[in-house]
Amino acid sequence: MTQEAAFLAAWEKNWKQMEQAGIQTARMREQDQKLGAVTAAKRCLSGRRCSDGFRQLMAAGLLHLSLEALSLKSAWGSLFTDEEANEALSRLMEAGYNFRK
């Protein structure tokens, strides 16, 4: 399995948990299918605006399921630039994410 395929599998696992918690993922899945999971993730992390999904996860206390938290895992380090990782880290820190979970 390629690293990108493994990333997609991990992201899909998070989607299932999000859906069980009532978080809407249809738009995220549509974008990932259109662009590819890694390309869509990079696009999301390239700006300063948090997604609606991120806000929903924050409100539900489920930021560990966010793209931002997933992208910071060491397994995916080579998929993302330092700037993308820093953006993910910044968003999570601003949201008060507990990195020790």
Side-chain angles (χ1 to χ4, degrees):
M1 179 181 292
T2 68
Q3 191 176 28
E4 289 189 20
F7 177 79
L8 176 58
W11 191 215
E12 286 178 339
K13 181 180 174 187
N14 284 9
W15 283 337
K16 288 178 184 170
Q17 292 178 36
M18 284 186 252
E19 288 173 346
Q20 291 171 350
I23 307 295
Q24 299 296 316
T25 64
R27 186 172 173 206
M28 288 183 275
R29 283 187 180 201
E30 181 182 302
Q31 187 175 27
D32 285 0
Q33 289 171 349
K34 184 177 172 183
L35 300 172
V38 173
T39 301
K42 287 176 157 297
R43 180 185 235 181
C44 180
L45 295 173
S46 69
R48 280 291 304 146
R49 184 180 175 277
C50 292
S51 69
D52 293 338
F54 184 88
R55 286 197 233 355
Q56 290 179 53
L57 290 169
M58 184 172 55
L62 298 172
L63 282 175
H64 66 282
L65 298 176
S66 70
L67 167 67
E68 289 78 1
L70 181 64
S71 68
L72 290 176
K73 294 191 177 201
S74 62
W76 321 122
S78 65
L79 293 177
F80 299 98
T81 66
D82 288 346
E83 291 80 14
E84 292 160 344
N86 287 338
E87 182 59 32
L89 181 61
S90 176
R91 290 178 191 179
L92 289 167
M93 289 176 65
E94 287 175 16
Y97 181 66
N98 181 355
F99 288 90
R100 295 180 188 230
K101 282 186 177 181

Short mmCIF file of all heavy atoms in Angstrom, two decimals, residues 31-86:
data_model
loop_
_atom_site.label_atom_id
_atom_site.label_comp_id
_atom_site.label_asym_id
_atom_site.label_seq_id
_atom_site.Cartn_x
_atom_site.Cartn_y
_atom_site.Cartn_z
N GLN A 31 -14.86 16.27 -2.32
CA GLN A 31 -13.63 16.96 -2.69
C GLN A 31 -12.46 15.97 -2.78
O GLN A 31 -11.66 16.03 -3.70
CB GLN A 31 -13.31 18.05 -1.67
CG GLN A 31 -12.14 18.91 -2.06
CD GLN A 31 -11.94 20.06 -1.09
OE1 GLN A 31 -12.30 19.98 0.08
NE2 GLN A 31 -11.35 21.12 -1.58
N ASP A 32 -12.39 15.02 -1.85
CA ASP A 32 -11.32 14.03 -1.87
C ASP A 32 -11.41 13.13 -3.09
O ASP A 32 -10.40 12.78 -3.70
CB ASP A 32 -11.33 13.19 -0.60
CG ASP A 32 -10.77 13.95 0.59
OD1 ASP A 32 -10.38 15.12 0.44
OD2 ASP A 32 -10.74 13.36 1.68
N GLN A 33 -12.63 12.75 -3.46
CA GLN A 33 -12.80 11.90 -4.64
C GLN A 33 -12.44 12.65 -5.91
O GLN A 33 -11.87 12.09 -6.84
CB GLN A 33 -14.24 11.39 -4.70
CG GLN A 33 -14.52 10.36 -3.63
CD GLN A 33 -15.99 9.99 -3.55
OE1 GLN A 33 -16.85 10.62 -4.14
NE2 GLN A 33 -16.28 8.94 -2.80
N LYS A 34 -12.73 13.93 -5.94
CA LYS A 34 -12.45 14.75 -7.12
C LYS A 34 -10.96 15.03 -7.26
O LYS A 34 -10.40 14.92 -8.35
CB LYS A 34 -13.23 16.07 -7.00
CG LYS A 34 -13.13 16.98 -8.18
CD LYS A 34 -14.03 18.20 -7.92
CE LYS A 34 -13.84 19.26 -8.96
NZ LYS A 34 -14.66 20.44 -8.67
N LEU A 35 -10.30 15.38 -6.17
CA LEU A 35 -8.90 15.80 -6.20
C LEU A 35 -7.90 14.74 -5.76
O LEU A 35 -6.73 14.82 -6.09
CB LEU A 35 -8.70 17.02 -5.29
CG LEU A 35 -9.50 18.26 -5.60
CD1 LEU A 35 -9.32 19.30 -4.50
CD2 LEU A 35 -9.08 18.83 -6.95
N GLY A 36 -8.35 13.78 -4.99
CA GLY A 36 -7.45 12.84 -4.31
C GLY A 36 -7.27 13.31 -2.89
O GLY A 36 -7.22 14.51 -2.63
N ALA A 37 -7.17 12.38 -1.96
CA ALA A 37 -7.15 12.72 -0.54
C ALA A 37 -5.99 13.64 -0.16
O ALA A 37 -6.19 14.63 0.55
CB ALA A 37 -7.11 11.45 0.31
N VAL A 38 -4.80 13.34 -0.63
CA VAL A 38 -3.64 14.14 -0.23
C VAL A 38 -3.72 15.53 -0.85
O VAL A 38 -3.48 16.54 -0.19
CB VAL A 38 -2.32 13.43 -0.58
CG1 VAL A 38 -1.13 14.33 -0.32
CG2 VAL A 38 -2.19 12.14 0.22
N THR A 39 -4.11 15.61 -2.12
CA THR A 39 -4.24 16.91 -2.79
C THR A 39 -5.30 17.75 -2.11
O THR A 39 -5.11 18.94 -1.87
CB THR A 39 -4.55 16.73 -4.28
OG1 THR A 39 -3.51 15.96 -4.88
CG2 THR A 39 -4.68 18.06 -4.99
N ALA A 40 -6.43 17.13 -1.76
CA ALA A 40 -7.50 17.86 -1.07
C ALA A 40 -7.03 18.32 0.31
O ALA A 40 -7.32 19.44 0.73
CB ALA A 40 -8.74 16.98 -0.94
N ALA A 41 -6.27 17.47 1.01
CA ALA A 41 -5.75 17.84 2.33
C ALA A 41 -4.79 19.02 2.20
O ALA A 41 -4.85 19.97 2.99
CB ALA A 41 -5.05 16.65 2.97
N LYS A 42 -3.91 18.96 1.21
CA LYS A 42 -2.96 20.06 1.00
C LYS A 42 -3.70 21.36 0.70
O LYS A 42 -3.33 22.42 1.20
CB LYS A 42 -2.01 19.71 -0.15
CG LYS A 42 -1.00 18.66 0.22
CD LYS A 42 -0.17 18.30 -0.99
CE LYS A 42 1.15 17.72 -0.61
NZ LYS A 42 2.02 18.61 0.12
N ARG A 43 -4.73 21.27 -0.09
CA ARG A 43 -5.53 22.46 -0.42
C ARG A 43 -6.16 23.04 0.84
O ARG A 43 -6.15 24.24 1.05
CB ARG A 43 -6.60 22.09 -1.44
CG ARG A 43 -7.45 23.24 -1.84
CD ARG A 43 -8.55 22.77 -2.75
NE ARG A 43 -8.50 23.52 -3.97
CZ ARG A 43 -9.33 23.36 -4.96
NH1 ARG A 43 -10.25 22.43 -4.91
NH2 ARG A 43 -9.25 24.11 -6.02
N CYS A 44 -6.69 22.18 1.67
CA CYS A 44 -7.32 22.62 2.92
C CYS A 44 -6.31 23.28 3.84
O CYS A 44 -6.63 24.26 4.51
CB CYS A 44 -7.96 21.42 3.61
SG CYS A 44 -8.76 21.82 5.16
N LEU A 45 -5.09 22.77 3.87
CA LEU A 45 -4.07 23.29 4.78
C LEU A 45 -3.29 24.46 4.20
O LEU A 45 -2.44 25.03 4.88
CB LEU A 45 -3.09 22.17 5.16
CG LEU A 45 -3.68 21.03 5.97
CD1 LEU A 45 -2.67 19.91 6.12
CD2 LEU A 45 -4.19 21.52 7.32
N SER A 46 -3.62 24.86 2.98
CA SER A 46 -2.86 25.94 2.34
C SER A 46 -3.36 27.33 2.72
O SER A 46 -2.68 28.30 2.50
CB SER A 46 -2.89 25.79 0.82
OG SER A 46 -4.19 26.04 0.33
N GLY A 47 -4.54 27.42 3.29
CA GLY A 47 -5.08 28.72 3.66
C GLY A 47 -5.18 28.90 5.15
O GLY A 47 -4.88 27.99 5.92
N ARG A 48 -5.62 30.04 5.56
CA ARG A 48 -5.77 30.33 6.99
C ARG A 48 -7.19 30.08 7.48
O ARG A 48 -7.48 30.20 8.65
CB ARG A 48 -5.41 31.80 7.28
CG ARG A 48 -3.94 32.07 7.36
CD ARG A 48 -3.26 31.46 8.58
NE ARG A 48 -3.86 31.85 9.83
CZ ARG A 48 -3.92 31.05 10.90
NH1 ARG A 48 -3.45 29.85 10.87
NH2 ARG A 48 -4.48 31.48 12.00
N ARG A 49 -8.09 29.74 6.60
CA ARG A 49 -9.49 29.55 6.98
C ARG A 49 -9.74 28.12 7.41
O ARG A 49 -9.40 27.18 6.71
CB ARG A 49 -10.37 29.89 5.79
CG ARG A 49 -11.84 29.83 6.10
CD ARG A 49 -12.68 30.17 4.87
NE ARG A 49 -14.08 30.01 5.12
CZ ARG A 49 -14.72 28.86 5.04
NH1 ARG A 49 -14.09 27.76 4.73
NH2 ARG A 49 -16.02 28.81 5.28
N CYS A 50 -10.34 27.95 8.57
CA CYS A 50 -10.73 26.62 9.03
C CYS A 50 -11.99 26.18 8.31
O CYS A 50 -12.87 27.00 8.03
CB CYS A 50 -10.99 26.64 10.54
SG CYS A 50 -9.54 26.91 11.53
N SER A 51 -12.08 24.90 8.04
CA SER A 51 -13.25 24.37 7.36
C SER A 51 -14.45 24.29 8.32
O SER A 51 -14.29 24.33 9.55
CB SER A 51 -12.96 22.97 6.81
OG SER A 51 -12.80 22.06 7.89
N ASP A 52 -15.62 24.16 7.74
CA ASP A 52 -16.83 23.98 8.55
C ASP A 52 -16.71 22.68 9.36
O ASP A 52 -17.14 22.61 10.50
CB ASP A 52 -18.07 23.93 7.67
CG ASP A 52 -18.35 25.27 7.01
OD1 ASP A 52 -17.88 26.30 7.53
OD2 ASP A 52 -19.04 25.28 5.98
N GLY A 53 -16.12 21.65 8.74
CA GLY A 53 -15.92 20.38 9.43
C GLY A 53 -15.05 20.53 10.66
O GLY A 53 -15.32 19.95 11.72
N PHE A 54 -13.99 21.33 10.55
CA PHE A 54 -13.11 21.58 11.69
C PHE A 54 -13.90 22.25 12.81
O PHE A 54 -13.78 21.86 13.97
CB PHE A 54 -11.92 22.46 11.26
CG PHE A 54 -10.91 22.68 12.35
CD1 PHE A 54 -9.87 21.79 12.53
CD2 PHE A 54 -10.99 23.80 13.18
CE1 PHE A 54 -8.92 22.00 13.54
CE2 PHE A 54 -10.05 24.01 14.18
CZ PHE A 54 -9.02 23.11 14.37
N ARG A 55 -14.71 23.22 12.46
CA ARG A 55 -15.51 23.91 13.48
C ARG A 55 -16.50 22.96 14.15
O ARG A 55 -16.73 23.03 15.35
CB ARG A 55 -16.24 25.10 12.86
CG ARG A 55 -15.32 26.28 12.55
CD ARG A 55 -16.11 27.54 12.33
NE ARG A 55 -16.00 28.38 11.19
CZ ARG A 55 -15.19 28.32 10.16
NH1 ARG A 55 -14.35 27.37 10.04
NH2 ARG A 55 -15.20 29.22 9.20
N GLN A 56 -17.10 22.09 13.35
CA GLN A 56 -18.03 21.10 13.91
C GLN A 56 -17.30 20.15 14.86
O GLN A 56 -17.82 19.83 15.94
CB GLN A 56 -18.70 20.30 12.80
CG GLN A 56 -19.69 21.07 11.96
CD GLN A 56 -20.27 20.20 10.87
OE1 GLN A 56 -20.78 19.12 11.15
NE2 GLN A 56 -20.18 20.64 9.63
N LEU A 57 -16.13 19.70 14.46
CA LEU A 57 -15.35 18.80 15.31
C LEU A 57 -14.92 19.50 16.59
O LEU A 57 -14.94 18.91 17.67
CB LEU A 57 -14.13 18.28 14.55
CG LEU A 57 -14.44 17.29 13.43
CD1 LEU A 57 -13.20 17.06 12.57
CD2 LEU A 57 -14.96 15.98 13.99
N MET A 58 -14.55 20.77 16.49
CA MET A 58 -14.15 21.54 17.66
C MET A 58 -15.33 21.64 18.63
O MET A 58 -15.17 21.40 19.84
CB MET A 58 -13.67 22.94 17.25
CG MET A 58 -13.15 23.76 18.40
SD MET A 58 -12.37 25.32 17.92
CE MET A 58 -13.61 26.11 16.95
N ALA A 59 -16.49 21.97 18.12
CA ALA A 59 -17.68 22.11 18.97
C ALA A 59 -18.05 20.78 19.64
O ALA A 59 -18.55 20.78 20.77
CB ALA A 59 -18.86 22.63 18.14
N ALA A 60 -17.79 19.68 18.94
CA ALA A 60 -18.12 18.36 19.48
C ALA A 60 -17.01 17.76 20.34
O ALA A 60 -17.16 16.67 20.88
CB ALA A 60 -18.44 17.40 18.32
N GLY A 61 -15.87 18.47 20.45
CA GLY A 61 -14.75 17.95 21.21
C GLY A 61 -14.07 16.76 20.53
O GLY A 61 -13.54 15.88 21.20
N LEU A 62 -14.09 16.77 19.21
CA LEU A 62 -13.55 15.64 18.45
C LEU A 62 -12.42 16.05 17.49
O LEU A 62 -12.26 15.47 16.41
CB LEU A 62 -14.67 14.98 17.64
CG LEU A 62 -15.81 14.36 18.45
CD1 LEU A 62 -16.95 13.91 17.54
CD2 LEU A 62 -15.29 13.21 19.30
N LEU A 63 -11.62 17.02 17.88
CA LEU A 63 -10.56 17.48 17.00
C LEU A 63 -9.53 16.40 16.67
O LEU A 63 -8.82 16.50 15.67
CB LEU A 63 -9.86 18.70 17.58
CG LEU A 63 -10.62 20.01 17.42
CD1 LEU A 63 -9.88 21.13 18.16
CD2 LEU A 63 -10.80 20.36 15.96
N HIS A 64 -9.47 15.34 17.47
CA HIS A 64 -8.54 14.25 17.15
C HIS A 64 -8.90 13.57 15.83
O HIS A 64 -8.07 12.89 15.24
CB HIS A 64 -8.49 13.23 18.30
CG HIS A 64 -9.76 12.50 18.51
ND1 HIS A 64 -10.84 13.07 19.17
CD2 HIS A 64 -10.15 11.26 18.16
CE1 HIS A 64 -11.83 12.19 19.21
NE2 HIS A 64 -11.43 11.08 18.60
N LEU A 65 -10.13 13.78 15.35
CA LEU A 65 -10.57 13.20 14.08
C LEU A 65 -10.33 14.15 12.90
O LEU A 65 -10.58 13.78 11.76
CB LEU A 65 -12.06 12.86 14.14
CG LEU A 65 -12.47 11.81 15.17
CD1 LEU A 65 -13.98 11.65 15.18
CD2 LEU A 65 -11.77 10.48 14.90
N SER A 66 -9.85 15.34 13.17
CA SER A 66 -9.69 16.35 12.12
C SER A 66 -8.54 16.03 11.17
O SER A 66 -7.59 15.32 11.52
CB SER A 66 -9.45 17.74 12.73
OG SER A 66 -8.16 17.79 13.34
N LEU A 67 -8.65 16.57 9.98
CA LEU A 67 -7.58 16.47 9.00
C LEU A 67 -6.29 17.05 9.57
O LEU A 67 -5.20 16.51 9.37
CB LEU A 67 -7.98 17.23 7.73
CG LEU A 67 -6.87 17.48 6.72
CD1 LEU A 67 -6.41 16.17 6.12
CD2 LEU A 67 -7.32 18.43 5.66
N GLU A 68 -6.42 18.14 10.31
CA GLU A 68 -5.26 18.79 10.90
C GLU A 68 -4.52 17.84 11.85
O GLU A 68 -3.29 17.73 11.77
CB GLU A 68 -5.70 20.07 11.64
CG GLU A 68 -6.13 21.20 10.72
CD GLU A 68 -7.55 21.07 10.14
OE1 GLU A 68 -8.26 20.09 10.44
OE2 GLU A 68 -7.93 21.95 9.37
N ALA A 69 -5.26 17.17 12.73
CA ALA A 69 -4.62 16.23 13.67
C ALA A 69 -4.03 15.04 12.91
O ALA A 69 -2.92 14.59 13.20
CB ALA A 69 -5.62 15.77 14.71
N LEU A 70 -4.76 14.53 11.94
CA LEU A 70 -4.27 13.39 11.16
C LEU A 70 -3.00 13.74 10.40
O LEU A 70 -2.04 12.96 10.39
CB LEU A 70 -5.35 12.92 10.18
CG LEU A 70 -5.00 11.71 9.32
CD1 LEU A 70 -4.79 10.47 10.18
CD2 LEU A 70 -6.10 11.47 8.30
N SER A 71 -2.97 14.91 9.80
CA SER A 71 -1.82 15.29 8.97
C SER A 71 -0.55 15.47 9.78
O SER A 71 0.56 15.42 9.23
CB SER A 71 -2.13 16.55 8.17
OG SER A 71 -2.25 17.66 9.02
N LEU A 72 -0.66 15.68 11.10
CA LEU A 72 0.52 15.87 11.94
C LEU A 72 1.13 14.57 12.45
O LEU A 72 2.20 14.58 13.04
CB LEU A 72 0.18 16.77 13.13
CG LEU A 72 -0.08 18.23 12.79
CD1 LEU A 72 -0.50 19.00 14.03
CD2 LEU A 72 1.13 18.87 12.13
N LYS A 73 0.46 13.45 12.20
CA LYS A 73 1.01 12.17 12.64
C LYS A 73 2.28 11.87 11.86
O LYS A 73 2.38 12.14 10.66
CB LYS A 73 -0.02 11.07 12.47
CG LYS A 73 -1.19 11.26 13.41
CD LYS A 73 -2.08 10.07 13.46
CE LYS A 73 -3.16 10.36 14.48
NZ LYS A 73 -3.78 9.19 14.97
N SER A 74 3.24 11.31 12.53
CA SER A 74 4.56 11.07 11.92
C SER A 74 4.48 10.20 10.66
O SER A 74 5.31 10.36 9.76
CB SER A 74 5.51 10.47 12.94
OG SER A 74 5.03 9.22 13.39
N ALA A 75 3.52 9.33 10.57
CA ALA A 75 3.39 8.45 9.40
C ALA A 75 3.19 9.23 8.11
O ALA A 75 3.52 8.75 7.02
CB ALA A 75 2.23 7.49 9.60
N TRP A 76 2.66 10.45 8.22
CA TRP A 76 2.34 11.23 7.02
C TRP A 76 3.28 12.42 6.85
O TRP A 76 3.07 13.26 5.99
CB TRP A 76 0.89 11.75 7.08
CG TRP A 76 -0.06 10.76 7.65
CD1 TRP A 76 -0.85 10.94 8.74
CD2 TRP A 76 -0.30 9.43 7.20
NE1 TRP A 76 -1.57 9.79 8.98
CE2 TRP A 76 -1.25 8.85 8.05
CE3 TRP A 76 0.20 8.67 6.15
CZ2 TRP A 76 -1.71 7.55 7.90
CZ3 TRP A 76 -0.25 7.36 6.00
CH2 TRP A 76 -1.20 6.82 6.86
N GLY A 77 4.31 12.50 7.64
CA GLY A 77 5.22 13.64 7.61
C GLY A 77 5.77 13.98 6.24
O GLY A 77 5.90 15.15 5.89
N SER A 78 6.06 12.98 5.44
CA SER A 78 6.64 13.26 4.12
C SER A 78 5.60 13.69 3.09
O SER A 78 5.96 14.15 2.01
CB SER A 78 7.39 12.03 3.61
OG SER A 78 6.49 10.96 3.37
N LEU A 79 4.33 13.58 3.43
CA LEU A 79 3.27 13.99 2.48
C LEU A 79 3.01 15.49 2.52
O LEU A 79 2.47 16.04 1.57
CB LEU A 79 1.96 13.25 2.78
CG LEU A 79 1.94 11.75 2.56
CD1 LEU A 79 0.59 11.18 2.98
CD2 LEU A 79 2.23 11.41 1.10
N PHE A 80 3.38 16.14 3.62
CA PHE A 80 3.03 17.55 3.82
C PHE A 80 4.28 18.40 4.00
O PHE A 80 5.26 17.98 4.60
CB PHE A 80 2.10 17.70 5.03
CG PHE A 80 0.82 16.94 4.86
CD1 PHE A 80 0.64 15.70 5.41
CD2 PHE A 80 -0.20 17.47 4.08
CE1 PHE A 80 -0.53 14.98 5.23
CE2 PHE A 80 -1.37 16.77 3.88
CZ PHE A 80 -1.54 15.52 4.45
N THR A 81 4.21 19.62 3.49
CA THR A 81 5.31 20.56 3.64
C THR A 81 5.34 21.09 5.07
O THR A 81 4.37 20.94 5.83
CB THR A 81 5.16 21.76 2.68
OG1 THR A 81 3.99 22.52 3.07
CG2 THR A 81 5.04 21.32 1.23
N ASP A 82 6.44 21.74 5.43
CA ASP A 82 6.52 22.36 6.75
C ASP A 82 5.43 23.41 6.92
O ASP A 82 4.84 23.53 8.00
CB ASP A 82 7.89 23.02 6.95
CG ASP A 82 9.01 22.01 7.14
OD1 ASP A 82 8.72 20.82 7.38
OD2 ASP A 82 10.18 22.43 7.05
N GLU A 83 5.14 24.16 5.87
CA GLU A 83 4.11 25.20 5.94
C GLU A 83 2.73 24.58 6.21
O GLU A 83 1.96 25.11 7.01
CB GLU A 83 4.06 26.02 4.65
CG GLU A 83 5.27 26.91 4.44
CD GLU A 83 6.50 26.17 3.88
OE1 GLU A 83 6.37 25.02 3.39
OE2 GLU A 83 7.59 26.75 3.95
N GLU A 84 2.43 23.48 5.54
CA GLU A 84 1.14 22.81 5.75
C GLU A 84 1.05 22.25 7.17
O GLU A 84 0.01 22.40 7.84
CB GLU A 84 0.95 21.71 4.71
CG GLU A 84 0.77 22.25 3.31
CD GLU A 84 1.05 21.25 2.21
OE1 GLU A 84 1.67 20.19 2.45
OE2 GLU A 84 0.67 21.54 1.06
N ALA A 85 2.12 21.63 7.63
CA ALA A 85 2.14 21.10 9.00
C ALA A 85 2.02 22.22 10.02
O ALA A 85 1.29 22.09 11.02
CB ALA A 85 3.42 20.29 9.23
N ASN A 86 2.69 23.34 9.77
CA ASN A 86 2.60 24.48 10.68
C ASN A 86 1.19 25.05 10.72
O ASN A 86 0.71 25.47 11.78
CB ASN A 86 3.60 25.56 10.29
CG ASN A 86 5.02 25.20 10.64
OD1 ASN A 86 5.26 24.35 11.51
ND2 ASN A 86 5.97 25.81 9.96
#
